[in-house]
Amino acid sequence: MDTKQETLPVVRELDLSGTWRAARLDPQHRTPDGPPATDALSFLDAVVPGAVQYDLVRAGELENPYGGTEAAFAAQWVSDSDWVYRTRFDADPAAAPRWALEFDGIDTFADVWLNGVHLGSTANAYRRYRFELSPGDLRAEGNELLVHVKAHGSMITDMIPEARERLGHTDGVEGKLGKSLIRRYQRSFFSGNSSLLNVGTGILGIGVHRPVRLLALGPVEVTDVFLRTLSLDEHLASVEVEVAVDTAGADPAGLTVEVELGGPDDAAVVVATAAVPLGGNGPERVRLEVPDPRPWWPQGYGDPTRYPLRVRVARGATVLAQAERQVGIRTVELREAEPSGRPTFQLVVNGTPLYVRGTNYIPVDYLKVHGGPADYRRFFELIVAGNNNLVRMWGGGAIESDDFYDECDRRGIMIWQDGYLHSNTYPDYDPDWVEEFRQESREMIVGMRRHPCLAVLCGGNEQREGWDEWQWKDQIDRFYGEKLITETIPELVAELEPGVPYVDNSPHGGAWSQSPVYGEGHIWGSFFNSYKDPLFVTETCWSLESYSRPETLEEVMGLDVDAFSGRGWTEKWTKHTGRPMLTKFPYTGYHNTGGLRPYLRGLELEQAFADHHALTNFRLHGSSCHGIVYWSFNKGGPLFQFGAVDYRLRPLMSHYFVARLFRDVVVDVYRDVDDVRVLASNASTRPVQAELELVHLTTAGEELGRWSSSKEIPAGGLVRLLDLEGHYRTVVHRDREVAFARLTVDGEPVSDQILLFCPLVELVTPQAGLSVEPRRVADGDWELEIRTDGVSKLVQIEGTDGLILDDDYFPLVTGLPRTVRVRALERTGLPVTLRVSSLDDEVVQEVHLT
């Protein structure tokens, strides 16, 4: 690309996020033809991005809505009110020929005013809105920006009668009725008898919940850049670069679009370049040939290589606009039949079949939806530590920022992207509503297709399941919303060509959406389901749900966990939260009593061991399954629900149990009638030579038998390593004996598994005699070598806030020590004191990390 003279810089922006002012406005006092009158309003400080509820709590005008059932019901007036946001800023109107105000999102209905001029309205929290300013709209000093956010329910009044008649909803705006009609965070609505808040009602966040910026624009702007991989082999990639250009401020005649692909290691190296004249009839498409391509690979399959792609729009030697982004060269296919014709469901990236190990993501904040930089940093560290290669952006959640998906690109984390339809019917009979959904879906696909991490587009979550299984057919005359996933989104996929497979709903398949024979399933809830040998599991979690950690309940809800103890604590807890007490713990038998703290611990144990049982069956006892996407990575609220990480992103036991089963090579030891068998699975791309060591011992540490085996496990293979016929009959004391398997590859332990001959609670373990030796590996990086004199049914490492551990909550036996890697997210939290113990052992060791 020749050297050009640049007349204008890249788009500049002024970040308007921060502390604004907000005031309540009675919806009956709206001004019909002008900006809201603010003189008589009582303003308070409001954080943007944010939610009004948090501002009111900080100002002492609202009780913490997370505090319990009464507090949640008492907070519902907030989203039933209008709110006026106000901020002031200075700018230099002469600094650019064009200006715009851009909102990444407003929750939900709003009018935007600048210096008394109405710029436009919003009606969809999933959409980004840009308002172009006219000459004279912007002042040098004292610009006043007003955002009049309107009560959710007041904006759908005219739609409600028909929605009740057709969709069959009998609840209110905070429930399934509002969920059908309002385009905002779907799972925060109170559906049936639950919401992610789980205190007997839902609370709808409201406010300016995403960043706001003032943009200084040139006469020409590059608005979209997308690299589409047409073909790929080891010698050559053929790609097409699609460039969208806005020439609203310039004559398009004589303009040229120039495209340059830099080297993945050295951006100054030009790998390929081309130029075409700007046609003006839609996006320009430029073909490039890339020699010796280095594809983008997901985690565990290769490097997530990215190339710098530079685009310039020029007239002769003058550059009028430019853009640069990191792109990946990759292909994605969905294999739905084996060569024999047998149905399957397997993602294939760059021609390589994958074993997906993933998780479902819930927005990190129930009210304002999105988190801050520290939240996302911890999220990605835990995703990688959990051995995930895919994140499902589930249809009940919300779209994340471009930075979020850039980080997925960088780390090799694939994205399964749902459309935001969730377990509900939708008014596909209303052309205005459908058009709004169409624009939302268009923006989502255009934004996501730029990212090589995108692997699957899906129409939504559990609409087909609702129609198949939830008696909708007995309540309404047709499947309302089906056209959105069979017509609206597919039309956009055909037009926009994102280069990934489209699945119209999850789950889907066969005559029954939960079929293990076709498609993919949400395989939940019972021993039997985990043995169905499904093709692909897009949601799974087992047995009981659990709560966030006591520290989180205190931080979010203001609860003193230890105040719920002694006689009568269960009635007190149920009254405070509306949550019934659970008394069945079939996986572990830990019926903990005496207070809320041991009760929470028992539920966490139960969920972890139930998850382990089911995911072990998927991974090691079913040959058809090509992917497990756990439900869910995180809890969407502090109280009772599924999730391996709690509401403040503290990892729970299930996080580590699932992470162990998501390793490349995994072992299982199990009882088959009277025989003891050992299996191993290899999900990597290369065969491995695995060394097995199996020991039968008493819980006091006495060895009763030892066996070894060495076998090659092929890539993607499942191999039986050892059979001990009749060995179960040699067990005398089922509550004092265990079998323990360790698998080693290339001299390094890669997987352990313990076989109990009784329920966990019945296993009698004398004091485990744990010893812990910490070693400092580097600054903020340690190893803990942990040993036991007998059997530890569960080694527990506590006090880990601010740390990332590669393992925790694992069994251990004498003679087979375990090394745990510990990393500090930030040096500011040091020194740290860890507490290491064995389940049911009162001895706690303190380990100091400095």
Side-chain angles (χ1 to χ4, degrees):
M1 194 178 289
D2 296 335
T3 301
K4 302 287 186 180
Q5 177 185 354
E6 296 184 17
T7 61
L8 288 170
V10 180
V11 173
R12 293 165 296 164
E13 64 180 58
L14 173 65
D15 185 3
L16 297 180
S17 302
T19 301
W20 292 34
R21 301 281 285 169
R24 185 186 184 190
L25 177 70
D26 190 317
Q28 296 181 1
H29 296 160
R30 294 174 183 168
T31 306
D33 299 319
T38 60
D39 292 344
L41 300 182
S42 178
F43 281 86
L44 53 84
D45 285 347
V47 175
V48 172
V52 171
Q53 286 90 343
Y54 293 135
D55 303 320
L56 292 167
V57 170
R58 281 188 289 267
E61 297 185 19
L62 181 70
E63 183 182 351
N64 179 5
Y66 295 118
T69 301
E70 291 183 5
F73 275 100
Q76 291 187 346
W77 64 270
V78 180
S79 61
D80 291 337
S81 302
D82 282 17
W83 295 91
V84 178
Y85 279 75
R86 180 175 69 191
T87 192
R88 293 185 173 93
F89 62 91
D90 299 333
D92 180 6
R98 294 192 301 152
W99 294 86
L101 275 164
E102 189 169 71
F103 293 78
D104 283 353
I106 296 177
D107 191 4
T108 294
F109 302 98
D111 285 322
V112 179
W113 303 81
L114 179 65
N115 300 326
V117 175
H118 185 238
L119 300 183
S121 302
T122 73
N124 189 328
Y126 289 121
R127 292 184 61 190
R128 173 181 290 180
Y129 289 87
R130 179 187 282 196
F131 303 106
E132 296 266 352
L133 306 187
S134 299
D137 288 351
L138 192 65
R139 301 171 184 165
E141 297 179 346
N143 293 282
E144 183 178 69
L145 176 60
L146 293 180
V147 180
H148 177 191
V149 184
K150 300 177 181 180
H152 295 306
S154 70
M155 301 304 292
I156 60 170
T157 303
D158 294 343
M159 303 171 67
I160 289 176
E162 187 173 12
R164 289 200 188 282
E165 180 181 349
R166 291 195 182 218
L167 305 181
H169 298 320
T170 59
D171 55 5
V173 172
E174 77 287 346
K176 290 188 289 185
L177 175 69
K179 184 177 179 181
S180 288
L181 302 181
I182 303 172
R183 297 307 300 147
R184 64 176 305 280
Y185 182 11
Q186 291 287 279
R187 192 59 179 90
S188 64
F189 290 92
F190 189 68
S191 299
N193 60 357
S194 71
S195 74
L196 292 176
L197 190 58
N198 266 337
V199 291
T201 186
I203 306 172
L204 305 183
I206 188 169
V208 183
H209 77 309
R210 302 199 70 185
V212 184
R213 62 189 66 86
L214 176 70
L215 301 177
L217 306 173
V220 177
E221 181 187 5
V222 178
T223 57
D224 185 43
V225 177
F226 166 49
L227 182 141
R228 179 183 293 111
T229 304
L230 303 175
S231 63
L232 172 65
D233 61 37
E234 61 180 317
H235 303 296
L236 186 69
S238 178
V239 302
E240 180 178 72
V241 179
E242 187 173 311
V243 181
V245 180
D246 178 5
T247 59
D251 181 0
L255 295 181
T256 301
V257 176
E258 302 173 347
V259 174
E260 180 180 272
L261 192 68
D265 297 319
D266 184 353
V269 174
V270 177
V271 174
T273 184
V276 297
L278 183 65
N281 295 319
E284 300 302 326
R285 298 191 175 197
V286 182
R287 292 285 185 100
L288 298 175
E289 301 293 317
V290 183
D292 302 319
R294 288 167 53 185
W296 183 94
W297 288 100
Q299 179 103 342
Y301 288 87
D303 294 330
T305 302
R306 295 184 296 165
Y307 290 74
L309 178 64
R310 296 178 282 271
V311 175
R312 294 176 181 171
V313 181
R315 178 177 282 116
T318 302
V319 175
L320 298 180
Q322 61 183 356
E324 181 172 340
R325 68 172 299 107
Q326 295 289 314
V327 298
I329 298 172
R330 61 93 178 93
T331 61
V332 186
E333 307 164 66
L334 176 59
R335 182 175 295 169
E336 296 186 90
E338 297 177 359
S340 66
R342 176 174 172 155
T344 188
F345 191 98
Q346 186 171 29
L347 286 179
V348 179
V349 173
N350 305 326
T352 298
L354 305 186
Y355 193 98
V356 169
R357 289 153 278 174
T359 190
N360 285 267
Y361 170 67
I362 298 175
V364 297
D365 194 285
Y366 177 78
L367 289 173
K368 66 185 180 71
V369 185
H370 304 279
D375 297 320
Y376 291 118
R377 182 184 178 197
R378 187 159 185 79
F379 165 81
F380 280 108
E381 292 291 341
L382 288 169
I383 286 291
V384 173
N387 300 313
N388 295 281
N389 59 23
L390 180 143
V391 170
R392 178 176 176 235
M393 305 300 287
W394 139 92
I399 197 79
E400 282 292 345
S401 69
D402 220 34
D403 290 342
F404 179 96
Y405 299 108
D406 282 341
E407 190 66 9
C408 293
D409 292 341
R410 188 180 75 82
R411 292 179 180 264
I413 304 298
M414 296 180 289
I415 292 291
W416 173 303
Q417 180 67 60
D418 278 6
Y420 291 103
L421 302 170
H422 175 265
S423 306
N424 205 17
T425 52
Y426 293 91
D428 58 9
Y429 52 81
D430 183 330
D432 292 336
W433 192 99
V434 171
E435 182 56 30
E436 181 64 45
F437 178 78
R438 185 188 307 276
Q439 291 305 316
E440 167 197 322
S441 301
R442 173 182 291 277
E443 292 175 16
M444 180 187 75
I445 296 171
V446 167
M448 284 303 308
R449 68 178 185 167
R450 305 171 188 145
H451 295 276
C453 64
L454 180 64
V456 178
L457 280 171
C458 177
N461 180 78
E462 294 179 353
Q463 281 78 54
R464 290 206 177 280
E465 181 178 354
W467 186 247
D468 287 347
E469 298 184 37
W470 300 349
Q471 287 80 52
W472 292 0
K473 295 175 183 178
D474 297 327
Q475 300 165 9
I476 54 179
D477 64 333
R478 68 172 177 85
F479 183 1
Y480 288 99
E482 184 177 27
K483 293 179 182 178
L484 303 174
I485 62 176
T486 60
E487 297 178 15
T488 306
I489 298 179
E491 288 167 2
L492 291 169
V493 170
E495 174 193 346
L496 298 171
E497 300 177 79
V500 298
Y502 174 71
V503 175
D504 75 8
N505 214 239
S506 180
H508 83 289
W512 178 45
S513 63
Q514 288 286 23
S515 168
V517 180
Y518 301 95
E520 41 75 51
H522 296 185
I523 313 297
W524 286 73
S526 73
F527 290 99
F528 169 71
N529 276 348
S530 70
Y531 288 104
K532 287 181 177 177
D533 191 24
L535 306 182
F536 193 98
V537 181
T538 324
E539 286 186 17
T540 184
C541 194
W542 294 83
S543 191
L544 304 178
E545 301 171 63
S546 64
Y547 289 84
S548 290
R549 284 286 170 88
E551 306 95 305
T552 295
L553 296 181
E554 181 177 352
E555 292 169 8
V556 177
M557 301 180 68
L559 286 177
D560 178 0
V561 170
D562 293 322
F564 295 87
S565 60
R567 188 165 297 173
W569 78 265
T570 56
E571 292 80 4
K572 181 180 176 182
W573 176 249
T574 299
K575 181 179 179 181
H576 189 79
T577 63
R579 298 305 313 166
M581 303 304 298
L582 298 174
T583 59
K584 301 296 184 184
F585 293 74
Y587 284 86
T588 65
Y590 273 83
H591 298 266
N592 288 340
T593 60
L596 180 58
R597 189 178 292 274
Y599 175 70
L600 298 180
R601 194 67 163 182
L603 287 174
E604 191 176 335
L605 275 165
E606 184 71 11
Q607 181 182 336
F609 277 88
D611 286 343
H612 180 267
H613 168 87
L615 269 66
T616 297
N617 286 336
F618 292 146
R619 176 75 192 265
L620 290 126
H621 296 272
S623 61
S624 301
C625 187
H626 293 300
I628 305 169
V629 185
Y630 178 78
W631 179 267
S632 57
F633 168 74
N634 57 321
K635 296 182 185 295
L639 279 180
F640 187 70
Q641 57 194 263
F642 295 111
V645 173
D646 86 357
Y647 188 61
R648 280 285 186 259
L649 301 182
R650 290 183 168 99
L652 303 172
M653 294 179 188
S654 279
H655 168 76
Y656 298 101
F657 278 59
V658 175
R660 290 195 285 271
L661 286 167
F662 279 4
R663 293 174 180 171
D664 281 350
V665 181
V666 177
V667 68
D668 185 35
V669 53
Y670 65 101
R671 180 175 62 84
D672 181 1
V673 190
D674 284 340
D675 303 332
V676 172
R677 308 190 191 282
V678 183
L679 288 172
S681 164
N682 175 19
S684 74
T685 58
R686 65 180 183 90
V688 297
Q689 189 67 33
E691 308 295 330
L692 170 69
E693 193 168 8
L694 178 69
V695 59
H696 177 194
L697 71 165
T698 70
T699 55
E702 178 189 356
E703 185 175 306
L704 302 175
R706 181 178 292 266
W707 302 264
S708 61
S709 172
S710 178
K711 286 190 178 180
E712 181 179 278
I713 311 174
L718 184 63
V719 171
R720 184 171 292 173
L721 299 179
L722 187 67
D723 288 326
L724 299 179
E725 294 186 5
H727 187 74
Y728 178 56
R729 302 308 305 171
T730 71
V731 175
V732 178
H733 301 291
R734 292 171 56 187
D735 58 348
R736 290 174 172 81
E737 297 178 38
V738 300
F740 188 88
R742 169 161 290 181
L743 204 62
T744 300
V745 175
D746 297 330
E748 293 293 329
V750 295
S751 181
D752 294 345
Q753 183 60 278
I754 193 168
L755 172 62
L756 306 183
F757 303 112
C758 66
L760 183 71
V761 73
E762 288 191 73
L763 187 66
V764 178
T765 51
Q767 288 195 351
L770 289 181
S771 64
V772 185
E773 180 182 339
R775 293 190 298 270
R776 186 175 179 273
V777 177
D779 193 28
D781 197 344
W782 304 266
E783 288 181 345
L784 307 178
E785 184 169 296
I786 305 176
R787 299 174 181 272
T788 180
D789 294 337
V791 171
S792 171
K793 60 174 78 173
L794 207 67
V795 174
Q796 307 170 120
I797 308 173
E798 311 279 7
T800 60
D801 278 4
L803 303 174
I804 297 293
L805 280 64
D806 71 351
D807 207 358
D808 200 351
Y809 304 106
F810 51 84
L812 192 66
V813 301
T814 185
L816 294 172
R818 175 76 67 88
T819 300
V820 176
R821 193 72 176 263
V822 181
R823 291 186 297 109
L825 284 175
E826 295 180 358
R827 291 288 301 166
T828 55
L830 299 178
V832 172
T833 298
L834 300 179
R835 303 181 304 277
V836 184
S837 64
S838 180
L839 181 65
D840 296 338
D841 189 339
E842 296 180 357
V843 177
V844 178
Q845 293 193 47
E846 290 191 347
V847 178
H848 304 286
L849 305 180
T850 59

